[in-house]
Coordinates of all heavy atoms in Angstrom, one line a residue:
T219 N 22.6 -15.7 32.6 CA 21.2 -16.1 32.1 C 20.4 -14.8 31.9 O 20.4 -13.9 32.7 CB 20.5 -17.0 33.0 OG1 21.4 -18.1 33.3 CG2 19.2 -17.5 32.5
M220 N 19.6 -14.7 30.8 CA 18.8 -13.5 30.6 C 17.5 -13.6 31.2 O 16.9 -14.8 31.1 CB 18.7 -13.4 29.1 CG 18.1 -12.1 28.6 SD 17.8 -12.0 26.8 CE 19.4 -12.4 26.1
T221 N 16.9 -12.6 31.8 CA 15.6 -12.6 32.3 C 14.6 -12.4 31.2 O 15.0 -12.0 30.1 CB 15.4 -11.5 33.3 OG1 15.5 -10.3 32.7 CG2 16.5 -11.6 34.5
I222 N 13.4 -12.7 31.5 CA 12.3 -12.5 30.5 C 12.1 -11.0 30.2 O 12.0 -10.6 29.1 CB 10.9 -13.0 31.1 CG1 11.0 -14.5 31.3 CG2 9.7 -12.6 30.2 CD1 11.2 -15.4 30.2
D223 N 12.3 -10.1 31.2 CA 12.2 -8.7 30.9 C 13.4 -8.2 29.9 O 13.2 -7.4 29.1 CB 12.2 -7.9 32.2 CG 10.9 -8.1 33.0 OD1 9.9 -8.3 32.4 OD2 11.0 -7.9 34.2
E224 N 14.6 -8.8 30.2 CA 15.7 -8.3 29.3 C 15.4 -8.9 27.9 O 15.7 -8.2 26.9 CB 17.0 -9.0 29.8 CG 17.5 -8.4 31.1 CD 18.7 -9.1 31.7 OE1 18.7 -10.4 31.7 OE2 19.6 -8.5 32.0
L225 N 14.9 -10.1 27.8 CA 14.5 -10.6 26.4 C 13.6 -9.7 25.7 O 13.7 -9.4 24.6 CB 14.1 -12.1 26.6 CG 13.5 -12.7 25.3 CD1 14.7 -13.0 24.4 CD2 12.8 -14.0 25.7
K226 N 12.5 -9.3 26.4 CA 11.5 -8.6 25.9 C 12.0 -7.2 25.4 O 11.6 -6.7 24.4 CB 10.3 -8.3 26.9 CG 9.5 -9.4 27.2 CD 8.5 -9.1 28.3 CE 7.5 -10.3 28.7 NZ 6.7 -9.9 29.8
R227 N 12.9 -6.6 26.1 CA 13.6 -5.3 25.7 C 14.5 -5.5 24.6 O 14.6 -4.6 23.7 CB 14.4 -4.8 26.9 CG 13.5 -4.1 27.9 CD 14.3 -3.2 28.9 NE 15.2 -4.0 29.6 CZ 15.0 -4.6 30.8 NH1 13.7 -4.5 31.3 NH2 15.8 -5.3 31.5
R228 N 15.1 -6.7 24.4 CA 16.1 -6.8 23.3 C 15.4 -7.2 22.0 O 16.1 -7.1 20.9 CB 17.1 -7.9 23.7 CG 18.1 -7.5 24.7 CD 19.1 -8.6 25.1 NE 20.0 -8.2 26.0 CZ 21.2 -8.7 26.2 NH1 21.5 -9.8 25.6 NH2 22.0 -8.4 27.2
I229 N 14.3 -7.8 22.0 CA 13.7 -8.2 20.8 C 13.2 -7.0 20.0 O 12.5 -6.1 20.5 CB 12.5 -9.2 21.1 CG1 12.9 -10.4 21.7 CG2 11.6 -9.4 19.8 CD1 11.8 -11.3 22.1
D230 N 13.6 -7.0 18.7 CA 13.1 -6.0 17.7 C 11.9 -6.5 17.1 O 11.8 -7.3 16.2 CB 14.2 -5.8 16.7 CG 13.9 -4.7 15.6 OD1 12.7 -4.4 15.4 OD2 14.8 -4.2 15.1
L231 N 10.7 -6.0 17.6 CA 9.4 -6.5 17.2 C 9.1 -6.3 15.7 O 8.6 -7.2 15.1 CB 8.3 -6.0 18.1 CG 6.9 -6.7 18.0 CD1 7.0 -8.2 18.1 CD2 6.0 -6.1 19.1
P232 N 9.4 -5.2 15.1 CA 9.2 -5.1 13.7 C 10.0 -6.1 12.9 O 9.5 -6.7 12.0 CB 9.7 -3.6 13.3 CG 9.5 -2.9 14.7 CD 9.9 -3.9 15.7
E233 N 11.3 -6.4 13.3 CA 12.0 -7.4 12.6 C 11.4 -8.8 12.8 O 11.3 -9.6 11.9 CB 13.5 -7.4 13.1 CG 14.4 -8.4 12.5 CD 14.5 -8.2 11.0 OE1 14.5 -7.0 10.5 OE2 14.7 -9.1 10.3
L234 N 10.9 -9.1 14.0 CA 10.3 -10.3 14.3 C 9.0 -10.5 13.5 O 8.7 -11.6 13.0 CB 10.0 -10.4 15.9 CG 9.3 -11.6 16.4 CD1 10.2 -12.9 16.1 CD2 8.9 -11.6 17.9
A235 N 8.2 -9.5 13.3 CA 7.1 -9.5 12.5 C 7.4 -9.9 11.1 O 6.7 -10.7 10.4 CB 6.3 -8.2 12.6
R236 N 8.5 -9.3 10.5 CA 8.9 -9.6 9.2 C 9.3 -11.2 9.2 O 8.9 -11.8 8.2 CB 10.1 -8.7 8.7 CG 9.7 -7.4 8.3 CD 10.8 -6.6 7.7 NE 11.8 -6.2 8.7 CZ 11.8 -5.2 9.5 NH1 10.7 -4.4 9.5 NH2 12.7 -4.9 10.3
Y237 N 10.0 -11.6 10.2 CA 10.5 -13.0 10.3 C 9.3 -14.0 10.2 O 9.3 -15.0 9.7 CB 11.3 -13.2 11.5 CG 11.8 -14.6 11.7 CD1 12.8 -15.2 11.0 CD2 11.1 -15.4 12.7 CE1 13.2 -16.5 11.2 CE2 11.5 -16.7 12.9 CZ 12.5 -17.2 12.1 OH 13.0 -18.5 12.4
L238 N 8.3 -13.5 11.0 CA 7.0 -14.4 11.0 C 6.0 -14.1 9.9 O 5.0 -14.7 9.9 CB 6.3 -14.2 12.4 CG 7.1 -14.6 13.6 CD1 6.4 -14.2 14.9 CD2 7.4 -16.0 13.7
N239 N 6.5 -13.4 8.9 CA 5.7 -13.2 7.7 C 4.4 -12.5 8.0 O 3.3 -12.8 7.4 CB 5.4 -14.5 6.9 CG 6.8 -15.0 6.4 OD1 7.6 -14.1 5.9 ND2 7.0 -16.2 6.4
V240 N 4.3 -11.6 8.9 CA 3.0 -10.8 9.2 C 2.9 -9.7 8.0 O 3.9 -8.9 7.7 CB 3.1 -10.1 10.5 CG1 1.9 -9.2 10.7 CG2 3.2 -11.1 11.6
R241 N 1.8 -9.8 7.3 CA 1.7 -8.9 6.2 C 1.6 -7.4 6.7 O 1.0 -6.9 7.6 CB 0.2 -9.1 5.5 CG 0.2 -10.2 4.6 CD -1.1 -10.3 3.8 NE -2.2 -10.2 4.6 CZ -3.2 -9.3 4.2 NH1 -3.3 -8.7 3.1 NH2 -4.3 -9.3 5.1
K242 N 2.5 -6.6 6.1 CA 2.6 -5.3 6.4 C 1.6 -4.4 5.6 O 1.3 -4.7 4.5 CB 4.0 -4.8 5.9 CG 4.5 -3.7 6.6 CD 6.1 -3.4 6.3 CE 6.5 -2.3 7.2 NZ 7.9 -1.9 6.8
A243 N 1.2 -3.3 6.2 CA 0.1 -2.5 5.6 C 0.8 -1.8 4.5 O 2.0 -1.4 4.5 CB -0.5 -1.6 6.7
K244 N 0.0 -1.4 3.5 CA 0.5 -0.4 2.5 C 1.0 0.8 3.1 O 0.4 1.4 4.0 CB -0.6 -0.1 1.5 CG -0.9 -1.3 0.6 CD -1.9 -0.9 -0.5 CE -2.3 -2.1 -1.4 NZ -3.1 -1.8 -2.4
G245 N 2.2 1.4 2.6 CA 2.7 2.5 3.2 C 3.8 2.3 4.2 O 4.4 3.1 4.7
G246 N 3.8 1.0 4.7 CA 4.8 0.6 5.7 C 4.5 1.0 7.1 O 3.5 0.8 7.6
G247 N 5.5 1.6 7.7 CA 5.4 2.0 9.1 C 5.4 0.8 10.0 O 5.9 -0.2 9.7
T248 N 4.6 0.9 11.0 CA 4.6 -0.1 12.0 C 3.1 -0.6 12.2 O 2.6 -0.9 13.3 CB 5.0 0.4 13.3 OG1 4.2 1.6 13.7 CG2 6.5 0.8 13.4
S249 N 2.4 -0.8 11.1 CA 1.1 -1.4 11.1 C 1.1 -2.5 10.1 O 1.9 -2.6 9.1 CB 0.0 -0.4 10.8 OG 0.3 0.3 9.5
G250 N 0.2 -3.4 10.4 CA 0.0 -4.6 9.5 C -1.3 -5.3 9.6 O -2.1 -4.8 10.3
H251 N -1.3 -6.4 9.1 CA -2.6 -7.2 9.1 C -2.4 -8.3 10.1 O -1.5 -9.0 10.1 CB -2.8 -7.8 7.7 CG -3.1 -6.6 6.7 ND1 -4.3 -6.0 6.5 CD2 -2.1 -6.1 5.8 CE1 -4.0 -5.1 5.5 NE2 -2.8 -5.1 5.1
A252 N -3.5 -8.5 10.8 CA -3.5 -9.6 11.9 C -3.5 -10.9 11.1 O -4.1 -11.2 10.0 CB -4.7 -9.4 12.8
P253 N -2.7 -11.9 11.7 CA -2.7 -13.2 11.1 C -4.1 -13.9 11.2 O -4.9 -13.7 12.1 CB -1.8 -13.9 12.1 CG -1.8 -13.2 13.4 CD -2.0 -11.8 13.0
G254 N -4.3 -14.8 10.2 CA -5.6 -15.5 10.1 C -6.8 -14.8 9.7 O -7.9 -15.3 9.8
R255 N -6.7 -13.4 9.4 CA -7.9 -12.7 8.9 C -7.6 -12.1 7.6 O -6.4 -11.7 7.4 CB -8.3 -11.6 10.0 CG -8.9 -12.1 11.2 CD -9.7 -11.1 11.9 NE -8.9 -9.8 12.1 CZ -8.3 -9.5 13.2 NH1 -8.2 -10.3 14.2 NH2 -7.7 -8.3 13.3
D256 N -8.5 -11.9 6.8 CA -8.4 -11.2 5.6 C -8.9 -9.8 5.6 O -9.7 -9.3 4.8 CB -9.2 -12.0 4.5 CG -8.3 -12.5 3.3 OD1 -7.0 -12.2 3.4 OD2 -8.7 -13.1 2.4
D257 N -8.4 -9.1 6.6 CA -8.8 -7.7 6.8 C -8.3 -6.8 5.6 O -7.2 -7.0 5.2 CB -8.4 -7.1 8.2 CG -7.0 -7.3 8.6 OD1 -6.3 -8.0 7.8 OD2 -6.7 -6.9 9.7
K258 N -9.2 -5.9 5.2 CA -8.7 -5.1 4.1 C -7.9 -3.9 4.6 O -7.0 -3.4 3.9 CB -10.0 -4.5 3.5 CG -10.8 -5.6 2.8 CD -11.8 -5.0 1.9 CE -12.8 -6.0 1.2 NZ -12.3 -7.3 0.9
S259 N -8.1 -3.5 5.8 CA -7.2 -2.4 6.4 C -6.5 -2.9 7.5 O -6.9 -3.9 8.2 CB -8.0 -1.1 6.8 OG -9.0 -1.5 7.7
A260 N -5.3 -2.3 7.8 CA -4.4 -2.8 8.8 C -5.1 -2.6 10.2 O -5.6 -1.5 10.5 CB -3.1 -2.0 8.9
S261 N -5.0 -3.6 11.0 CA -5.6 -3.5 12.3 C -4.5 -3.8 13.5 O -4.8 -3.6 14.6 CB -6.7 -4.5 12.6 OG -6.3 -5.8 12.5
L262 N -3.3 -4.2 13.0 CA -2.3 -4.5 13.9 C -1.2 -3.3 14.0 O -0.8 -2.9 12.9 CB -1.5 -5.7 13.4 CG -0.5 -6.4 14.3 CD1 -1.2 -7.1 15.4 CD2 0.2 -7.5 13.5
S263 N -1.0 -2.8 15.2 CA 0.0 -1.8 15.4 C 1.2 -2.4 16.2 O 1.0 -3.1 17.2 CB -0.6 -0.7 16.2 OG -1.6 -0.1 15.4
I264 N 2.4 -2.0 15.8 CA 3.6 -2.2 16.6 C 4.2 -0.9 17.0 O 4.5 0.0 16.1 CB 4.6 -3.0 15.8 CG1 4.0 -4.4 15.4 CG2 5.9 -3.2 16.5 CD1 4.7 -5.3 14.5
F265 N 4.6 -0.8 18.2 CA 5.0 0.5 18.8 C 6.0 0.3 19.8 O 6.0 -0.8 20.5 CB 3.9 1.4 19.2 CG 3.0 0.8 20.2 CD1 3.2 1.0 21.5 CD2 2.0 0.0 19.9 CE1 2.4 0.4 22.6 CE2 1.1 -0.7 20.9 CZ 1.4 -0.4 22.2
Q266 N 6.8 1.3 20.1 CA 7.7 1.2 21.2 C 7.2 2.1 22.4 O 6.9 3.2 22.3 CB 9.2 1.7 20.8 CG 10.1 1.2 21.8 CD 11.6 1.4 21.1 OE1 11.8 2.4 20.4 NE2 12.5 0.6 21.5
D267 N 7.0 1.4 23.6 CA 6.6 2.0 24.8 C 7.6 3.1 25.1 O 8.7 2.9 25.2 CB 6.4 1.1 25.9 CG 5.9 1.7 27.2 OD1 6.6 2.2 28.0 OD2 4.6 1.7 27.4
K268 N 7.1 4.4 25.4 CA 7.9 5.5 25.6 C 8.7 5.4 27.0 O 9.8 5.9 27.0 CB 7.1 6.8 25.5 CG 6.6 7.2 24.2 CD 5.8 8.4 24.0 CE 5.4 8.6 22.6 NZ 4.2 9.4 22.5
R269 N 8.0 4.8 27.9 CA 8.6 4.7 29.2 C 9.6 3.7 29.4 O 10.8 3.8 29.7 CB 7.6 4.6 30.2 CG 8.0 4.9 31.7 CD 7.0 4.9 32.8 NE 6.2 3.7 32.5 CZ 5.0 3.6 33.0 NH1 4.4 4.6 33.8 NH2 4.2 2.6 32.8
S270 N 9.2 2.4 29.0 CA 10.0 1.2 29.2 C 11.0 0.9 28.1 O 11.9 0.2 28.1 CB 9.1 0.0 29.4 OG 8.5 -0.4 28.2
R271 N 10.6 1.6 26.8 CA 11.3 1.4 25.6 C 11.2 -0.1 25.1 O 11.9 -0.5 24.2 CB 12.9 1.7 25.7 CG 13.2 3.1 26.2 CD 12.6 4.2 25.5 NE 13.1 4.2 24.0 CZ 12.5 4.8 23.1 NH1 11.4 5.4 23.2 NH2 13.0 4.8 21.9
E272 N 10.2 -0.8 25.6 CA 10.0 -2.2 25.2 C 8.9 -2.1 24.0 O 8.0 -1.3 24.0 CB 9.3 -2.9 26.3 CG 8.9 -4.3 26.1 CD 8.2 -5.0 27.3 OE1 8.7 -4.8 28.4 OE2 7.1 -5.5 27.1
W273 N 9.2 -3.0 23.0 CA 8.3 -3.1 21.8 C 7.0 -3.8 22.4 O 7.0 -4.7 23.1 CB 8.9 -3.9 20.7 CG 9.9 -3.1 20.0 CD1 11.3 -3.2 20.1 CD2 9.7 -2.1 19.0 NE1 11.9 -2.3 19.2 CE2 10.9 -1.6 18.5 CE3 8.6 -1.6 18.5 CZ2 11.1 -0.6 17.5 CZ3 8.7 -0.5 17.5 CH2 9.9 -0.2 17.1
R274 N 5.9 -3.2 21.8 CA 4.6 -3.8 22.2 C 3.7 -3.9 20.9 O 4.1 -3.3 19.9 CB 3.8 -2.8 23.1 CG 4.6 -2.2 24.2 CD 4.6 -3.1 25.4 NE 3.3 -3.4 25.9 CZ 3.0 -4.5 26.7 NH1 4.0 -5.2 27.1 NH2 1.8 -4.7 27.2
F275 N 2.7 -4.6 21.0 CA 1.8 -4.7 19.7 C 0.3 -4.7 20.3 O 0.1 -4.9 21.4 CB 2.0 -6.1 19.0 CG 1.1 -7.2 19.5 CD1 0.0 -7.6 18.9 CD2 1.7 -7.9 20.7 CE1 -0.7 -8.7 19.4 CE2 0.9 -9.0 21.1 CZ -0.2 -9.4 20.5
K276 N -0.6 -4.3 19.3 CA -2.0 -4.3 19.6 C -2.7 -4.6 18.3 O -2.5 -4.0 17.3 CB -2.5 -2.9 20.2 CG -4.0 -2.9 20.4 CD -4.3 -1.9 21.3 CE -5.9 -1.8 21.6 NZ -6.4 -3.0 22.2
D277 N -3.7 -5.5 18.3 CA -4.6 -5.8 17.3 C -5.9 -5.1 17.6 O -6.5 -5.5 18.5 CB -4.8 -7.4 17.1 CG -5.8 -7.7 16.0 OD1 -6.3 -6.8 15.4 OD2 -5.9 -8.9 15.7
H278 N -6.1 -4.1 16.9 CA -7.3 -3.2 17.3 C -8.6 -3.9 17.0 O -9.6 -3.4 17.6 CB -7.2 -1.8 16.6 CG -6.0 -1.1 16.9 ND1 -5.8 -0.3 18.1 CD2 -4.7 -1.1 16.3 CE1 -4.7 0.1 18.1 NE2 -3.9 -0.3 17.1
A279 N -8.6 -5.0 16.3 CA -9.9 -5.7 16.0 C -9.8 -7.1 16.7 O -10.7 -7.9 16.6 CB -10.1 -6.0 14.5
G280 N -9.0 -7.3 17.6 CA -8.7 -8.6 18.2 C -9.4 -8.8 19.5 O -10.0 -7.8 20.1
G281 N -9.3 -10.0 19.9 CA -9.9 -10.3 21.3 C -8.9 -10.7 22.2 O -7.8 -10.0 22.3
P282 N -9.1 -11.8 23.0 CA -8.1 -12.1 24.0 C -6.7 -12.4 23.5 O -6.5 -13.0 22.5 CB -8.6 -13.4 24.7 CG -10.1 -13.4 24.3 CD -10.1 -12.6 23.0
G283 N -5.7 -11.9 24.2 CA -4.3 -12.1 23.8 C -3.9 -11.2 22.7 O -2.9 -11.5 22.1
S284 N -4.7 -10.3 22.3 CA -4.4 -9.4 21.0 C -3.5 -8.2 21.3 O -3.5 -7.2 20.5 CB -5.7 -9.1 20.4 OG -6.5 -8.2 21.2
S285 N -2.8 -8.1 22.5 CA -1.9 -7.1 22.7 C -0.9 -7.5 23.7 O -1.2 -8.5 24.4 CB -2.7 -5.8 23.2 OG -3.3 -6.1 24.5
G286 N 0.2 -6.8 23.8 CA 1.3 -7.2 24.7 C 2.7 -7.0 24.2 O 3.0 -6.2 23.3
S287 N 3.5 -7.7 24.8 CA 5.0 -7.7 24.5 C 5.3 -8.6 23.3 O 4.5 -9.2 22.7 CB 5.8 -8.2 25.8 OG 5.5 -9.7 25.8
A288 N 6.7 -8.6 23.0 CA 7.1 -9.4 21.9 C 6.8 -10.9 22.1 O 6.6 -11.6 21.2 CB 8.6 -9.1 21.7
V289 N 7.0 -11.4 23.4 CA 6.6 -12.8 23.7 C 5.2 -13.0 23.5 O 4.9 -14.1 22.8 CB 7.1 -13.1 25.2 CG1 6.7 -14.5 25.5 CG2 8.5 -12.9 25.4
D290 N 4.3 -12.1 23.9 CA 2.8 -12.2 23.6 C 2.6 -12.3 22.1 O 1.7 -13.0 21.7 CB 2.1 -11.1 24.3 CG 2.2 -11.1 25.8 OD1 2.1 -12.2 26.4 OD2 2.5 -10.0 26.3
F291 N 3.3 -11.4 21.4 CA 3.2 -11.4 19.9 C 3.4 -12.8 19.3 O 2.6 -13.2 18.4 CB 4.1 -10.3 19.4 CG 4.0 -10.1 17.8 CD1 3.0 -9.5 17.3 CD2 5.0 -10.6 17.0 CE1 2.8 -9.3 16.0 CE2 4.9 -10.5 15.6 CZ 3.8 -9.8 15.1
V292 N 4.5 -13.5 19.7 CA 4.8 -14.8 19.1 C 3.7 -15.7 19.5 O 3.3 -16.5 18.6 CB 6.1 -15.3 19.7 CG1 6.4 -16.7 19.3 CG2 7.3 -14.4 19.2
M293 N 3.2 -15.7 20.7 CA 2.1 -16.6 21.1 C 0.9 -16.3 20.3 O 0.1 -17.3 19.9 CB 1.7 -16.5 22.6 CG 3.0 -16.9 23.5 SD 2.6 -17.0 25.3 CE 2.0 -15.4 25.7
Y294 N 0.6 -15.1 20.0 CA -0.6 -14.5 19.2 C -0.5 -15.0 17.8 O -1.4 -15.6 17.3 CB -0.7 -13.1 19.4 CG -1.9 -12.5 18.7 CD1 -3.2 -12.7 19.1 CD2 -1.8 -11.7 17.6 CE1 -4.3 -12.3 18.6 CE2 -2.9 -11.1 17.0 CZ -4.2 -11.4 17.5 OH -5.3 -10.9 16.8
V295 N 0.6 -14.8 17.2 CA 0.8 -15.1 15.7 C 0.9 -16.5 15.5 O 0.5 -17.1 14.6 CB 2.1 -14.3 15.1 CG1 2.4 -14.7 13.7 CG2 1.8 -12.8 15.2
Q296 N 1.7 -17.2 16.3 CA 2.0 -18.6 16.2 C 1.0 -19.6 16.9 O 1.0 -20.7 16.6 CB 3.4 -19.0 16.8 CG 4.5 -18.3 16.0 CD 4.8 -18.7 14.6 OE1 4.2 -18.1 13.7 NE2 5.5 -19.7 14.3
G297 N 0.1 -18.9 17.6 CA -1.0 -19.8 18.3 C -0.3 -20.8 19.3 O -0.7 -21.9 19.4
C298 N 0.7 -20.4 20.0 CA 1.4 -21.3 20.8 C 1.3 -20.8 22.3 O 0.9 -19.6 22.5 CB 2.9 -21.5 20.4 SG 3.9 -19.9 20.5
D299 N 1.8 -21.5 23.2 CA 1.9 -21.1 24.6 C 3.1 -20.4 24.9 O 4.0 -20.4 24.0 CB 1.6 -22.3 25.6 CG 2.6 -23.4 25.4 OD1 3.6 -23.2 24.8 OD2 2.2 -24.4 26.1
F300 N 3.3 -20.0 26.2 CA 4.5 -19.3 26.6 C 5.7 -20.2 26.3 O 6.8 -19.7 25.8 CB 4.4 -18.9 28.0 CG 5.7 -18.2 28.5 CD1 5.8 -16.9 28.3 CD2 6.6 -18.9 29.3 CE1 6.9 -16.2 28.8 CE2 7.7 -18.2 29.8 CZ 7.8 -16.9 29.6
K301 N 5.7 -21.5 26.7 CA 6.8 -22.4 26.4 C 7.2 -22.4 25.0 O 8.4 -22.3 24.6 CB 6.6 -23.8 27.0 CG 7.7 -24.7 26.9 CD 7.4 -26.0 27.5 CE 8.6 -26.9 27.3 NZ 8.3 -28.4 27.5
G302 N 6.2 -22.5 24.1 CA 6.4 -22.6 22.7 C 7.1 -21.3 22.2 O 8.0 -21.4 21.3
A303 N 6.7 -20.2 22.7 CA 7.2 -18.9 22.3 C 8.7 -18.8 22.7 O 9.6 -18.3 22.0 CB 6.5 -17.7 22.9
M304 N 9.1 -19.4 23.9 CA 10.4 -19.3 24.5 C 11.3 -20.2 23.6 O 12.6 -19.9 23.6 CB 10.5 -19.7 25.9 CG 9.9 -18.6 26.9 SD 10.8 -17.1 26.9 CE 9.8 -16.1 25.9
E305 N 10.8 -21.3 23.1 CA 11.5 -22.2 22.3 C 11.9 -21.7 21.0 O 12.8 -22.2 20.3 CB 10.8 -23.6 22.2 CG 10.8 -24.4 23.5 CD 9.9 -25.5 23.5 OE1 9.2 -25.8 22.6 OE2 10.1 -26.3 24.6
M306 N 11.1 -20.8 20.4 CA 11.3 -20.2 19.2 C 12.6 -19.4 19.1 O 13.5 -19.1 18.7 CB 10.2 -19.3 18.7 CG 10.1 -19.0 17.4 SD 8.7 -18.0 17.0 CE 9.4 -17.3 15.5

């Protein structure tokens, strides 16, 4: 059985963002547009933590729940709870 921490480390967040149809910013890279907003410039960043090597995200214009791990990203984009994210 895989632990939550193992799952978070294994998920390729840029690939997951493509799967969830998160609009990518012009020029590509690891930035995009937050779901549910018609922002003109990218406010969503996806990056790999240097110490843990875990993928993380941050919505620079967001409120509660607008940063965290790949599991948090699914909850943020899909508007679901932890259980819903795990079922995906």
Side-chain angles (χ1 to χ4, degrees):
T219 305
M220 189 182 312
T221 68
I222 299 296
D223 289 334
E224 287 173 318
L225 177 67
K226 289 177 183 178
R227 281 192 299 273
R228 288 184 179 195
I229 293 174
D230 181 336
L231 193 48
E233 182 63 33
L234 179 61
R236 283 189 289 278
Y237 175 77
L238 295 174
N239 294 316
V240 173
R241 280 188 315 135
K242 206 170 182 185
K244 287 184 180 177
T248 56
S249 60
H251 300 275
R255 286 201 312 265
D256 238 357
D257 49 355
K258 296 195 186 322
S259 60
S261 62
L262 189 70
S263 297
I264 295 174
F265 56 95
Q266 198 166 29
D267 184 271
K268 291 178 179 159
R269 191 174 51 197
S270 70
R271 306 303 297 157
E272 180 182 308
W273 284 102
R274 312 280 300 162
F275 87 100
K276 178 160 181 59
D277 179 354
H278 299 280
S284 61
S285 65
S287 69
V289 175
D290 299 313
F291 182 75
V292 172
M293 294 188 308
Y294 184 65
V295 171
Q296 297 294 94
C298 63
D299 61 9
F300 180 78
K301 183 179 178 193
M304 290 293 97
E305 291 172 348
M306 195 178 154

